[in-house]
Amino acid sequence: MKEWYTNYDLLLIMIIAGVVIVALQCVAGWLLGNLYRDSSVIGTTENPWLRGMVKRYEAGYQLRVPINDASSFVDKNIAEYRFHRLSIEQWADIGVYGAWLECILMGISTLIGVYYKTSMYTFGIYGIYMVMILALIMGCEFFLQTHAHQRGIRIYILDYIENTLRPRLENHYLHPEEEEAYQREYFLEDQTAVAEEGEKPSESTKEMEEELSRGEKEALLSEVLEEYF
């Protein structure tokens, strides 16, 4: 183990682990970023997971057994989502897991260095690289905003279900009479407005008629002047 420490083999393992963690953080940022953007336009999105969630919610109203607790429904679907066998929460916490792994490796290397009484220079090299790796991991965490996107996904989905989808489904499936009465009244108002607009001459038509009458008067006046003068 002393040779692993003095030859910087443990340091190489720490660096490789850091590179893998940063790569996984980038994947998590891409995944959660796409889900965040799709959730913000959930009504028109083509994302199959989001569309499937909406269809399952609509199915409850179609079967006359609506889902009353939308919050639990959304949390359950988010918890069941998997991308390469990892959930959304696990992908969002990749940076946290990676930081813990680096700290564990640094702790092991420190114990080895203390046990074999190695030089402070070697310990300093490990410490410098440890700080650089952790700074890179935390920088990715700040730049990619995975946890903020995770919270935003839930907020957008829950807002759409409770404030847009639920009222429409309740009117359509649970109160069809009220919806039909509203549609009849709405279309009747539109038809009445169109009929009134058709009966009343528009301002442009009035202006055209006034311009024609003025033109006719001017033409008649010019004819009179030419005839008598």
Side-chain angles (χ1 to χ4, degrees):
M1 292 297 293
K2 181 179 180 180
E3 290 75 13
W4 277 57
Y5 184 78
T6 55
N7 294 336
Y8 301 110
D9 291 332
L10 283 175
L11 180 61
L12 180 61
I13 293 174
M14 290 173 60
I15 294 173
I16 293 174
V19 171
V20 173
I21 291 162
V22 170
L24 290 175
Q25 282 183 290
C26 292
V27 175
W30 166 80
L31 171 66
L32 293 171
N34 285 343
L35 286 177
Y36 179 79
R37 286 188 292 272
D38 290 338
S39 299
S40 65
V41 290
I42 187 172
T44 58
T45 184
E46 296 297 327
N47 186 291
W49 174 62
L50 293 173
R51 289 175 64 87
M53 189 188 308
V54 171
K55 288 180 179 178
R56 284 192 294 274
Y57 191 83
E58 290 178 346
Y61 282 88
Q62 292 172 355
L63 297 173
R64 299 296 191 274
V65 283
I67 298 170
N68 296 321
D69 192 349
S71 179
S72 297
F73 173 79
V74 172
D75 290 339
K76 179 176 179 293
N77 279 271
I78 291 177
E80 291 177 349
Y81 180 86
R82 291 291 183 273
F83 181 75
H84 291 291
R85 298 184 180 182
L86 294 180
S87 65
I88 289 178
E89 185 175 358
Q90 289 172 329
W91 279 110
D93 289 337
I94 286 291
V96 178
Y97 300 149
W100 273 104
L101 176 61
E102 292 294 334
C103 290
I104 291 171
L105 291 174
M106 183 63 190
I108 293 172
S109 64
T110 302
L111 290 175
I112 294 173
V114 171
Y115 181 78
Y116 290 105
K117 299 179 181 179
T118 55
S119 65
M120 290 297 296
Y121 175 81
T122 304
F123 178 78
I125 294 295
Y126 275 87
I128 291 172
Y129 274 94
M130 172 69 177
V131 172
M132 292 174 60
I133 294 170
L134 288 179
L136 187 59
I137 292 173
M138 298 308 297
C140 288
E141 187 76 15
F142 175 78
F143 178 75
L144 295 172
Q145 293 291 305
T146 51
H147 286 91
H149 288 164
Q150 179 190 7
R151 292 190 297 270
I153 291 168
R154 182 183 184 277
I155 291 171
Y156 276 126
I157 296 173
L158 190 58
D159 175 71
Y160 174 77
I161 287 179
E162 288 191 336
N163 298 323
T164 302
L165 187 60
R166 174 185 284 175
R168 177 168 60 83
L169 293 175
E170 286 182 352
N171 289 334
H172 184 72
Y173 290 104
L174 302 184
H175 310 291
E177 304 84 3
E178 296 179 4
E179 184 179 17
E180 291 176 1
Y182 170 76
Q183 289 179 353
R184 285 197 301 269
E185 182 180 356
Y186 177 78
F187 288 123
L188 181 60
E189 290 178 356
D190 283 351
Q191 292 173 0
T192 305
V194 170
E196 290 177 353
E197 289 179 359
E199 292 174 358
K200 296 179 180 179
S202 62
E203 294 181 359
S204 60
T205 305
K206 291 180 179 179
E207 291 176 358
M208 290 177 63
E209 290 177 352
E210 291 176 357
E211 290 178 358
L212 288 174
S213 61
R214 286 197 300 267
E216 291 175 355
K217 290 178 181 179
E218 291 175 358
L220 181 60
L221 180 60
S222 62
E223 290 178 1
V224 172
L225 290 175
E226 288 177 359
E227 183 176 353
Y228 291 99
F229 296 98

